[in-house]
Coordinates of all heavy atoms in Angstrom, one line a residue:
M900 N 102.5 91.9 100.6 CA 101.2 92.4 100.1 C 100.9 91.9 98.7 O 101.8 91.9 97.9 CB 101.2 93.9 100.1 CG 99.9 94.5 99.7 SD 99.9 96.3 99.7 CE 100.0 96.6 101.5
S901 N 99.7 91.4 98.4 CA 99.4 91.0 97.1 C 98.3 91.8 96.5 O 97.4 92.3 97.2 CB 99.1 89.5 97.0 OG 98.0 89.2 97.9
D902 N 98.3 92.1 95.2 CA 97.3 92.9 94.5 C 96.3 92.0 93.8 O 96.6 91.0 93.2 CB 98.0 93.8 93.4 CG 99.0 94.7 94.0 OD1 98.9 95.0 95.3 OD2 99.8 95.3 93.3
H903 N 95.0 92.4 93.9 CA 93.9 91.6 93.4 C 93.0 92.5 92.6 O 92.5 93.5 93.2 CB 93.2 90.9 94.5 CG 94.1 90.0 95.2 ND1 94.3 88.7 94.9 CD2 94.8 90.1 96.3 CE1 95.1 88.1 95.7 NE2 95.5 89.0 96.6
R904 N 92.7 92.2 91.4 CA 91.7 92.9 90.6 C 90.3 92.5 90.9 O 90.0 91.3 90.9 CB 92.0 92.7 89.1 CG 91.0 93.5 88.3 CD 91.3 93.3 86.8 NE 90.3 94.1 86.0 CZ 90.1 93.9 84.7 NH1 90.9 93.1 84.0 NH2 89.2 94.6 84.1
I905 N 89.4 93.4 91.2 CA 88.0 93.2 91.5 C 87.3 93.3 90.1 O 87.4 94.3 89.4 CB 87.4 94.2 92.4 CG1 88.1 94.1 93.8 CG2 85.9 93.9 92.6 CD1 87.7 95.3 94.7
T906 N 86.6 92.2 89.7 CA 85.9 92.1 88.4 C 84.4 92.0 88.6 O 83.7 92.1 87.6 CB 86.5 91.0 87.5 OG1 86.3 89.8 88.2 CG2 87.9 91.2 87.2
C907 N 84.0 91.7 89.8 CA 82.5 91.5 90.0 C 82.2 91.8 91.5 O 83.1 91.9 92.4 CB 82.1 90.1 89.7 SG 82.8 88.8 90.7
I908 N 80.9 92.1 91.7 CA 80.4 92.4 93.1 C 79.1 91.7 93.3 O 78.4 91.2 92.3 CB 80.2 93.9 93.3 CG1 79.1 94.4 92.3 CG2 81.5 94.6 93.2 CD1 78.6 95.8 92.7
N909 N 78.7 91.6 94.6 CA 77.3 91.2 94.9 C 76.8 92.2 95.8 O 77.4 92.6 96.8 CB 77.3 89.8 95.7 CG 77.7 88.7 94.8 OD1 78.7 88.0 95.2 ND2 77.1 88.4 93.7
K910 N 75.6 92.7 95.5 CA 74.9 93.7 96.3 C 73.7 93.1 97.0 O 73.2 92.0 96.5 CB 74.4 94.9 95.5 CG 75.5 95.7 94.9 CD 75.0 97.1 94.4 CE 73.7 97.1 93.7 NZ 73.3 98.4 93.1
T911 N 73.2 93.7 98.1 CA 72.0 93.2 98.7 C 70.8 93.2 97.8 O 70.0 92.3 97.8 CB 71.7 93.9 100.0 OG1 71.7 95.3 99.8 CG2 72.8 93.6 101.1
V912 N 70.6 94.3 97.0 CA 69.6 94.4 96.0 C 70.3 95.0 94.8 O 70.7 96.1 94.7 CB 68.5 95.4 96.5 CG1 67.4 95.5 95.3 CG2 67.8 94.9 97.7
R913 N 70.4 94.1 93.7 CA 71.2 94.5 92.6 C 70.8 95.7 91.8 O 71.6 96.5 91.4 CB 71.2 93.3 91.6 CG 72.1 93.5 90.4 CD 73.6 93.5 90.8 NE 74.4 94.1 89.7 CZ 75.6 94.4 89.8 NH1 76.3 94.1 90.9 NH2 76.3 94.9 88.8
Q914 N 69.5 95.9 91.8 CA 69.0 97.1 91.0 C 69.1 98.4 91.7 O 68.9 99.4 91.1 CB 67.5 96.8 90.6 CG 67.3 95.7 89.6 CD 67.5 94.3 90.2 OE1 67.3 94.1 91.4 NE2 68.0 93.4 89.4
S915 N 69.4 98.4 93.0 CA 69.4 99.7 93.8 C 70.8 100.2 93.8 O 71.7 99.6 94.2 CB 68.9 99.4 95.2 OG 69.1 100.6 96.0
A916 N 70.9 101.5 93.4 CA 72.2 102.1 93.4 C 72.6 102.5 94.9 O 73.8 102.9 95.1 CB 72.2 103.4 92.6
H917 N 71.7 102.4 95.8 CA 72.0 102.8 97.2 C 72.3 101.6 98.1 O 72.5 101.8 99.3 CB 70.9 103.7 97.7 CG 70.7 104.9 96.9 ND1 71.6 105.9 96.8 CD2 69.7 105.2 96.0 CE1 71.2 106.8 96.0 NE2 70.0 106.4 95.5
E918 N 72.2 100.4 97.6 CA 72.4 99.2 98.5 C 73.9 99.0 98.6 O 74.7 99.4 97.8 CB 71.8 98.0 97.9 CG 70.3 98.0 98.0 CD 69.8 97.9 99.4 OE1 70.3 97.2 100.2 OE2 68.9 98.7 99.7
R919 N 74.3 98.4 99.7 CA 75.7 98.2 100.0 C 76.2 97.0 99.2 O 75.4 96.0 99.0 CB 75.9 97.9 101.5 CG 75.6 99.2 102.3 CD 75.8 98.9 103.8 NE 77.2 98.5 104.1 CZ 78.2 99.3 104.4 NH1 77.9 100.6 104.5 NH2 79.4 98.9 104.7
I920 N 77.4 97.0 98.9 CA 78.1 95.8 98.3 C 78.4 94.8 99.4 O 78.9 95.2 100.5 CB 79.4 96.3 97.6 CG1 79.1 97.2 96.5 CG2 80.2 95.0 97.1 CD1 80.3 97.9 95.9
Q921 N 78.0 93.6 99.2 CA 78.3 92.5 100.2 C 79.5 91.8 100.0 O 80.3 91.5 100.9 CB 77.1 91.5 100.2 CG 75.8 92.0 100.8 CD 74.8 90.9 100.8 OE1 74.6 90.2 99.8 NE2 74.1 90.8 101.9
N922 N 79.8 91.5 98.7 CA 81.0 90.7 98.3 C 81.7 91.3 97.1 O 81.0 92.0 96.3 CB 80.5 89.2 97.9 CG 79.8 88.5 99.0 OD1 80.4 88.3 100.1 ND2 78.6 88.1 98.7
I923 N 83.0 91.0 97.0 CA 83.7 91.4 95.8 C 84.4 90.1 95.3 O 84.6 89.2 96.1 CB 84.8 92.5 96.1 CG1 85.8 92.0 97.2 CG2 84.1 93.8 96.5 CD1 86.9 93.0 97.4
G924 N 84.7 90.1 94.0 CA 85.4 88.9 93.5 C 86.2 89.2 92.3 O 86.2 90.3 91.8
G925 N 87.0 88.2 91.9 CA 87.8 88.3 90.7 C 88.4 86.9 90.4 O 87.9 85.9 90.7
F926 N 89.5 87.0 89.7 CA 90.2 85.7 89.3 C 91.6 85.6 89.9 O 92.3 86.6 90.0 CB 90.3 85.7 87.7 CG 89.0 85.6 87.0 CD1 88.3 86.7 86.6 CD2 88.4 84.3 86.9 CE1 87.1 86.6 86.0 CE2 87.2 84.2 86.3 CZ 86.5 85.3 85.8
N927 N 92.0 84.4 90.2 CA 93.4 84.1 90.7 C 94.3 84.0 89.5 O 93.8 83.9 88.3 CB 93.4 82.8 91.4 CG 92.6 82.9 92.7 OD1 92.7 83.8 93.5 ND2 91.8 81.8 93.0
A928 N 95.5 84.0 89.7 CA 96.5 83.9 88.6 C 96.3 82.6 87.8 O 96.6 82.5 86.6 CB 97.9 83.9 89.2
N929 N 95.8 81.5 88.5 CA 95.6 80.2 87.9 C 94.3 80.1 87.1 O 93.9 79.1 86.6 CB 95.7 79.1 88.9 CG 94.6 79.1 89.9 OD1 93.7 79.9 89.8 ND2 94.8 78.2 90.9
G930 N 93.5 81.3 87.1 CA 92.2 81.3 86.4 C 91.0 81.0 87.3 O 89.9 81.1 86.8
G931 N 91.3 80.5 88.5 CA 90.2 80.2 89.4 C 89.6 81.5 90.0 O 90.2 82.5 89.9
R932 N 88.4 81.4 90.4 CA 87.7 82.6 91.0 C 87.9 82.7 92.5 O 88.1 81.7 93.2 CB 86.2 82.5 90.8 CG 85.7 82.6 89.3 CD 84.2 82.8 89.3 NE 83.8 83.3 88.0 CZ 83.8 84.6 87.7 NH1 84.1 85.5 88.6 NH2 83.4 85.0 86.5
W933 N 87.9 83.9 92.9 CA 87.9 84.2 94.4 C 86.7 85.1 94.6 O 86.3 85.9 93.8 CB 89.2 84.8 94.9 CG 89.6 86.1 94.2 CD1 90.4 86.3 93.1 CD2 89.2 87.4 94.7 NE1 90.5 87.6 92.8 CE2 89.8 88.3 93.8 CE3 88.4 87.9 95.7 CZ2 89.6 89.7 93.9 CZ3 88.2 89.3 95.8 CH2 88.8 90.2 94.9
K934 N 86.2 85.0 95.8 CA 85.1 85.9 96.3 C 85.1 86.0 97.8 O 85.2 85.0 98.5 CB 83.7 85.4 95.8 CG 82.6 86.4 96.2 CD 81.3 86.0 95.5 CE 80.5 84.9 96.1 NZ 79.1 84.7 95.5
I935 N 85.2 87.3 98.3 CA 85.2 87.5 99.7 C 84.2 88.6 100.1 O 83.8 89.4 99.3 CB 86.6 87.8 100.2 CG1 87.1 89.1 99.6 CG2 87.6 86.7 100.0 CD1 88.4 89.6 100.2
S936 N 83.8 88.6 101.4 CA 82.9 89.7 101.8 C 83.7 91.0 101.9 O 84.9 91.0 101.9 CB 82.4 89.3 103.2 OG 83.4 89.5 104.2
V937 N 82.9 92.1 101.9 CA 83.5 93.4 102.0 C 84.3 93.5 103.3 O 85.4 94.1 103.3 CB 82.5 94.5 101.8 CG1 83.0 95.9 102.2 CG2 82.0 94.6 100.4
Q938 N 83.7 93.0 104.4 CA 84.4 93.0 105.7 C 85.7 92.3 105.6 O 86.7 92.8 106.1 CB 83.5 92.5 106.8 CG 84.1 92.7 108.2 CD 84.5 94.1 108.5 OE1 83.6 95.0 108.4 NE2 85.7 94.4 108.8
E939 N 85.8 91.2 105.0 CA 87.1 90.5 104.8 C 88.1 91.3 104.0 O 89.3 91.4 104.3 CB 86.9 89.1 104.1 CG 86.2 88.0 104.9 CD 86.0 86.8 104.1 OE1 84.9 86.7 103.4 OE2 86.9 85.9 104.0
A940 N 87.6 92.0 103.0 CA 88.4 92.8 102.1 C 89.0 94.0 103.0 O 90.2 94.3 102.9 CB 87.7 93.3 100.9
I941 N 88.1 94.6 103.7 CA 88.6 95.7 104.6 C 89.6 95.2 105.6 O 90.6 95.9 105.8 CB 87.3 96.3 105.3 CG1 86.5 97.1 104.3 CG2 87.8 97.2 106.5 CD1 85.1 97.6 104.8
D942 N 89.4 94.1 106.2 CA 90.4 93.5 107.1 C 91.7 93.2 106.5 O 92.8 93.5 107.0 CB 89.8 92.2 107.7 CG 88.7 92.4 108.7 OD1 88.4 93.5 109.1 OD2 88.0 91.4 108.9
R943 N 91.7 92.7 105.2 CA 92.9 92.4 104.5 C 93.7 93.7 104.1 O 94.9 93.7 104.1 CB 92.7 91.5 103.3 CG 92.2 90.1 103.8 CD 91.9 89.2 102.7 NE 91.3 88.0 103.2 CZ 91.0 86.9 102.5 NH1 91.2 86.9 101.2 NH2 90.5 85.8 103.1
I944 N 92.9 94.7 103.8 CA 93.5 96.0 103.4 C 94.2 96.6 104.7 O 95.3 97.0 104.7 CB 92.5 97.0 102.8 CG1 92.1 96.5 101.4 CG2 93.1 98.4 102.7 CD1 90.9 97.3 100.9
E945 N 93.4 96.6 105.8 CA 93.9 97.2 107.0 C 95.1 96.5 107.6 O 96.0 97.1 108.2 CB 92.8 97.3 108.1 CG 91.7 98.3 107.7 CD 90.6 98.4 108.7 OE1 90.3 97.4 109.4 OE2 90.0 99.5 108.8
T946 N 95.2 95.2 107.4 CA 96.4 94.4 107.9 C 97.5 94.4 106.9 O 98.6 93.8 107.2 CB 96.0 92.9 108.2 OG1 95.5 92.3 107.0 CG2 95.0 92.9 109.3
G947 N 97.3 95.0 105.7 CA 98.4 95.1 104.7 C 98.6 93.8 103.9 O 99.6 93.7 103.2
K948 N 97.7 92.9 104.0 CA 97.9 91.6 103.3 C 97.5 91.7 101.8 O 98.2 91.1 101.0 CB 97.0 90.5 103.9 CG 97.5 90.1 105.3 CD 96.6 89.0 105.8 CE 97.1 88.6 107.2 NZ 96.3 87.6 107.8
W949 N 96.4 92.4 101.5 CA 96.0 92.6 100.1 C 95.7 94.0 99.8 O 95.4 94.8 100.6 CB 94.7 91.8 99.9 CG 94.7 90.3 99.9 CD1 95.7 89.5 100.3 CD2 93.8 89.4 99.3 NE1 95.4 88.2 100.1 CE2 94.2 88.1 99.5 CE3 92.5 89.6 98.7 CZ2 93.5 87.0 99.1 CZ3 91.8 88.5 98.3 CH2 92.3 87.2 98.5
R950 N 95.9 94.3 98.5 CA 95.4 95.6 97.9 C 94.5 95.2 96.7 O 94.7 94.2 96.1 CB 96.6 96.4 97.3 CG 97.5 96.9 98.4 CD 98.5 98.0 97.8 NE 99.2 97.4 96.7 CZ 100.1 98.1 96.0 NH1 100.3 99.4 96.3 NH2 100.8 97.6 95.0
F951 N 93.5 96.0 96.5 CA 92.5 95.8 95.5 C 92.5 96.9 94.5 O 92.7 98.0 94.8 CB 91.1 95.6 96.1 CG 91.0 94.4 97.0 CD1 91.1 94.6 98.4 CD2 90.8 93.2 96.6 CE1 91.0 93.6 99.3 CE2 90.7 92.1 97.5 CZ 90.8 92.3 98.8
W952 N 92.2 96.6 93.2 CA 92.1 97.6 92.2 C 91.0 97.1 91.2 O 90.6 96.0 91.1 CB 93.4 97.8 91.5 CG 94.0 96.6 90.8 CD1 94.6 95.5 91.4 CD2 93.9 96.2 89.4 NE1 95.0 94.6 90.4 CE2 94.5 95.0 89.2 CE3 93.3 96.9 88.3 CZ2 94.7 94.4 87.9 CZ3 93.5 96.3 87.0 CH2 94.1 95.1 86.9
V953 N 90.5 98.1 90.4 CA 89.6 97.9 89.3 C 90.1 98.6 88.1 O 90.9 99.5 88.2 CB 88.2 98.4 89.6 CG1 87.6 97.6 90.8 CG2 88.1 99.9 89.9
S954 N 89.6 98.1 86.9 CA 90.0 98.7 85.7 C 88.8 99.7 85.3 O 87.7 99.2 85.2 CB 90.2 97.7 84.6 OG 90.5 98.3 83.4
V955 N 89.1 100.9 85.1 CA 88.1 101.9 84.7 C 88.6 102.6 83.5 O 89.6 103.3 83.5 CB 87.9 103.0 85.9 CG1 86.9 104.0 85.5 CG2 87.5 102.3 87.2
N956 N 87.8 102.4 82.4 CA 88.2 103.0 81.1 C 89.6 102.7 80.7 O 90.4 103.5 80.2 CB 87.9 104.5 81.1 CG 86.5 104.8 81.3 OD1 85.6 104.1 80.8 ND2 86.2 105.9 82.0
G957 N 90.1 101.4 81.0 CA 91.4 101.0 80.6 C 92.5 101.4 81.6 O 93.7 101.1 81.4
E958 N 92.1 102.1 82.7 CA 93.1 102.6 83.7 C 92.9 101.8 85.0 O 91.8 101.4 85.3 CB 92.9 104.1 84.0 CG 93.0 105.0 82.9 CD 94.5 105.2 82.5 OE1 95.4 105.1 83.4 OE2 94.8 105.3 81.3
S959 N 94.0 101.5 85.6 CA 94.0 100.8 86.9 C 93.7 101.8 88.0 O 94.4 102.8 88.1 CB 95.3 100.1 87.2 OG 95.5 99.1 86.2
V960 N 92.7 101.6 88.9 CA 92.4 102.5 90.0 C 92.3 101.7 91.3 O 91.7 100.6 91.3 CB 91.0 103.1 89.7 CG1 90.6 104.1 90.8 CG2 90.9 103.8 88.4
W961 N 93.0 102.2 92.3 CA 93.1 101.5 93.6 C 91.7 101.6 94.3 O 91.0 102.6 94.2 CB 94.2 102.0 94.5 CG 95.5 101.7 94.0 CD1 96.4 102.6 93.5 CD2 96.1 100.4 93.9 NE1 97.6 101.9 93.1 CE2 97.4 100.6 93.4 CE3 95.7 99.1 94.3 CZ2 98.3 99.5 93.2 CZ3 96.6 98.1 94.1 CH2 97.9 98.3 93.5
V962 N 91.4 100.6 95.0 CA 90.2 100.5 95.9 C 90.7 100.9 97.3 O 91.7 100.3 97.8 CB 89.5 99.2 95.8 CG1 88.4 99.1 96.9 CG2 89.0 98.9 94.4
I963 N 90.0 101.8 98.0 CA 90.3 102.2 99.3 C 89.2 102.1 100.3 O 88.0 101.8 99.8 CB 90.8 103.7 99.3 CG1 89.7 104.6 98.8 CG2 92.1 103.9 98.5 CD1 90.0 106.1 98.9
I964 N 89.5 102.2 101.5 CA 88.4 102.2 102.6 C 88.0 103.6 102.8 O 88.8 104.5 103.0 CB 89.0 101.5 103.9 CG1 89.5 100.1 103.6 CG2 87.9 101.6 105.0 CD1 90.3 99.5 104.8
A965 N 86.7 103.8 102.9 CA 86.1 105.1 103.2 C 85.1 104.9 104.4 O 84.8 103.7 104.7 CB 85.4 105.7 102.0
K966 N 84.7 106.0 105.0 CA 83.7 105.9 106.1 C 82.5 106.7 105.7 O 82.7 107.8 105.2 CB 84.3 106.4 107.4 CG 85.1 105.4 108.2 CD 85.4 105.9 109.6 CE 86.1 104.9 110.4 NZ 86.4 105.3 111.7
S967 N 81.4 106.2 106.0 CA 80.1 106.9 105.7 C 79.9 107.9 106.8 O 80.7 107.9 107.8 CB 78.9 105.9 105.7 OG 78.7 105.4 107.0
A968 N 79.0 108.8 106.7 CA 78.7 109.8 107.7 C 78.3 109.2 109.0 O 78.6 109.8 110.1 CB 77.5 110.7 107.2
S969 N 77.8 108.0 109.0 CA 77.4 107.3 110.2 C 78.6 106.4 110.8 O 78.4 105.8 111.8 CB 76.2 106.4 110.0 OG 76.4 105.5 109.0
G970 N 79.8 106.5 110.1 CA 80.9 105.8 110.6 C 81.1 104.4 110.1 O 82.1 103.7 110.6
N971 N 80.3 103.9 109.2 CA 80.5 102.6 108.7 C 81.6 102.6 107.6 O 81.6 103.5 106.7 CB 79.2 102.1 108.1 CG 78.1 101.9 109.1 OD1 78.4 101.4 110.2 ND2 76.9 102.3 108.9
K972 N 82.4 101.6 107.6 CA 83.5 101.5 106.6 C 82.9 100.8 105.4 O 82.1 99.9 105.4 CB 84.6 100.6 107.1 CG 85.4 101.3 108.2 CD 86.5 100.4 108.7 CE 87.2 101.0 109.9 NZ 88.3 100.2 110.5
Y973 N 83.4 101.3 104.2 CA 83.0 100.6 102.9 C 84.1 100.8 101.9 O 85.1 101.5 102.2 CB 81.7 101.3 102.4 CG 81.7 102.7 102.0 CD1 82.0 103.1 100.7 CD2 81.6 103.7 103.0 CE1 82.0 104.4 100.3 CE2 81.6 105.1 102.6 CZ 81.8 105.4 101.3 OH 81.9 106.7 101.0
L974 N 84.0 100.1 100.8 CA 85.0 100.2 99.8 C 84.6 101.2 98.7 O 83.4 101.2 98.3 CB 85.3 98.8 99.2 CG 85.8 97.8 100.1 CD1 85.9 96.4 99.4 CD2 87.1 98.2 100.8
K975 N 85.6 101.9 98.1 CA 85.3 102.7 97.0 C 86.6 102.9 96.2 O 87.7 102.6 96.8 CB 84.7 104.1 97.3 CG 85.7 105.0 98.0 CD 85.1 106.4 98.2 CE 86.1 107.4 98.5 NZ 85.6 108.8 98.4
T976 N 86.6 103.4 95.0 CA 87.8 103.6 94.3 C 88.3 105.0 94.6 O 87.5 105.9 94.9 CB 87.6 103.4 92.7 OG1 86.6 104.2 92.3 CG2 87.3 101.9 92.4
Q977 N 89.6 105.2 94.4 CA 90.2 106.5 94.8 C 89.6 107.7 94.1 O 89.5 108.7 94.6 CB 91.7 106.5 94.5 CG 92.5 105.7 95.5 CD 93.9 105.8 95.2 OE1 94.4 105.7 94.1 NE2 94.7 105.8 96.3
N978 N 89.1 107.5 92.8 CA 88.6 108.7 92.1 C 87.1 108.8 92.2 O 86.5 109.6 91.6 CB 89.0 108.6 90.6 CG 88.4 107.4 89.9 OD1 88.0 106.5 90.5 ND2 88.4 107.5 88.6
D979 N 86.4 108.0 93.0 CA 85.0 108.1 93.2 C 84.7 109.2 94.2 O 85.5 109.5 95.1 CB 84.4 106.8 93.8 CG 84.0 105.8 92.7 OD1 84.0 106.2 91.5 OD2 83.8 104.6 93.0
G980 N 83.5 109.7 94.1 CA 83.0 110.7 95.1 C 82.4 109.9 96.3 O 82.9 108.9 96.7
E981 N 81.3 110.4 96.8 CA 80.7 109.8 98.0 C 80.1 108.4 97.6 O 80.2 107.5 98.4 CB 79.5 110.7 98.4 CG 78.7 110.1 99.6 CD 79.6 110.1 100.9 OE1 80.5 110.8 101.1 OE2 79.2 109.2 101.8
Q982 N 79.6 108.2 96.4 CA 79.0 107.0 96.0 C 80.1 106.2 95.2 O 80.7 106.7 94.3 CB 77.8 107.2 95.1 CG 76.6 107.8 95.7 CD 76.1 107.0 96.8 OE1 76.0 105.7 96.7 NE2 75.7 107.6 97.9
P983 N 80.3 104.9 95.6 CA 81.3 104.1 94.9 C 80.9 103.5 93.6 O 80.7 102.4 93.4 CB 81.5 102.9 95.9 CG 80.2 102.8 96.6 CD 79.6 104.2 96.7
N984 N 80.7 104.4 92.6 CA 80.1 104.1 91.3 C 80.9 103.1 90.5 O 80.4 102.3 89.8 CB 79.8 105.3 90.5 CG 78.7 106.2 91.2 OD1 77.9 105.7 91.9 ND2 78.9 107.5 91.1
N985 N 82.3 103.2 90.6 CA 83.1 102.3 89.8 C 82.9 100.9 90.2 O 82.9 100.0 89.4 CB 84.6 102.7 89.9 CG 84.9 104.0 89.1 OD1 84.3 104.3 88.2 ND2 85.9 104.7 89.6
L986 N 82.8 100.7 91.5 CA 82.5 99.3 92.0 C 81.1 98.9 91.7 O 80.8 97.8 91.3 CB 82.8 99.2 93.5 CG 84.2 99.3 93.9 CD1 84.3 99.4 95.5 CD2 85.0 98.1 93.4
L987 N 80.1 99.8 91.9 CA 78.7 99.4 91.7 C 78.4 99.1 90.2 O 77.5 98.4 90.0 CB 77.8 100.6 92.2 CG 77.8 100.8 93.7 CD1 77.0 102.1 94.0 CD2 77.1 99.6 94.4
S988 N 79.2 99.6 89.3 CA 79.0 99.3 87.9 C 79.5 97.9 87.5 O 79.2 97.5 86.3 CB 79.6 100.4 87.1 OG 81.0 100.4 87.1
L989 N 80.2 97.2 88.3 CA 80.8 95.9 88.0 C 79.6 94.9 87.9 O 78.6 95.0 88.6 CB 81.8 95.5 89.0 CG 83.1 96.3 89.0 CD1 84.0 95.8 90.2 CD2 83.9 96.2 87.7
P990 N 79.8 93.8 87.1 CA 78.8 92.8 87.0 C 78.7 92.0 88.3 O 79.5 92.0 89.1 CB 79.3 91.9 85.8 CG 80.7 92.2 85.8 CD 81.0 93.6 86.2
E991 N 77.6 91.3 88.3 CA 77.3 90.4 89.5 C 78.2 89.2 89.5 O 78.5 88.6 88.5 CB 75.9 89.9 89.3 CG 75.3 89.2 90.5 CD 74.9 90.1 91.7 OE1 74.9 91.3 91.5 OE2 74.6 89.5 92.8
C992 N 78.8 88.9 90.7 CA 79.6 87.7 90.8 C 78.7 86.4 90.8 O 77.6 86.5 91.3 CB 80.3 87.7 92.2 SG 81.6 88.9 92.4
P993 N 79.3 85.4 90.3 CA 78.5 84.1 90.3 C 78.5 83.5 91.7 O 79.2 83.9 92.5 CB 79.3 83.2 89.3 CG 80.6 83.8 89.1 CD 80.5 85.3 89.5

């Protein structure tokens, strides 16, 4: 299992707090960028290949899979409530 820091996201509508995150991204150890879809991230978490984390106020927080009331899987940080605000506050991925 490898750990990856999420440093950016892409949403369907950037200005809306209620839109879903489409992609997450970050940097590889060699300084290159990576970006994958949320579905790919969920698949990698579920298969135990990758774990994801974000830095929140200088603290590392794990990203987990949650389910909406309608049964859709999405990503959020462990200390977030219903809305994944720690992820939504990240800058836009290039």
Side-chain angles (χ1 to χ4, degrees):
M900 179 178 297
S901 60
D902 296 343
H903 301 273
R904 179 180 177 191
I905 300 171
T906 60
C907 63
I908 62 166
N909 295 120
K910 293 193 321 180
T911 51
V912 177
R913 184 68 197 174
Q914 291 73 29
S915 172
H917 301 289
E918 287 297 315
R919 292 180 62 91
I920 297 171
Q921 288 183 314
N922 301 302
I923 60 172
F926 292 94
N927 295 316
N929 66 5
R932 289 191 163 275
W933 60 268
K934 183 167 80 169
I935 61 173
S936 71
V937 167
Q938 186 56 56
E939 287 176 273
I941 289 170
D942 292 344
R943 291 176 187 187
I944 292 169
E945 290 181 332
T946 60
K948 291 182 180 177
W949 286 20
R950 293 191 304 178
F951 298 96
W952 62 280
V953 296
S954 180
V955 178
N956 298 323
E958 299 288 325
S959 297
V960 181
W961 290 112
V962 173
I963 59 172
I964 300 169
K966 275 192 179 180
S967 69
S969 59
N971 295 317
K972 293 178 182 177
Y973 66 95
L974 299 178
K975 71 173 197 167
T976 56
Q977 283 183 322
N978 65 341
D979 274 346
E981 180 68 24
Q982 295 295 322
N984 296 327
N985 289 331
L986 288 174
L987 291 172
S988 66
L989 292 174
E991 189 78 9
C992 290

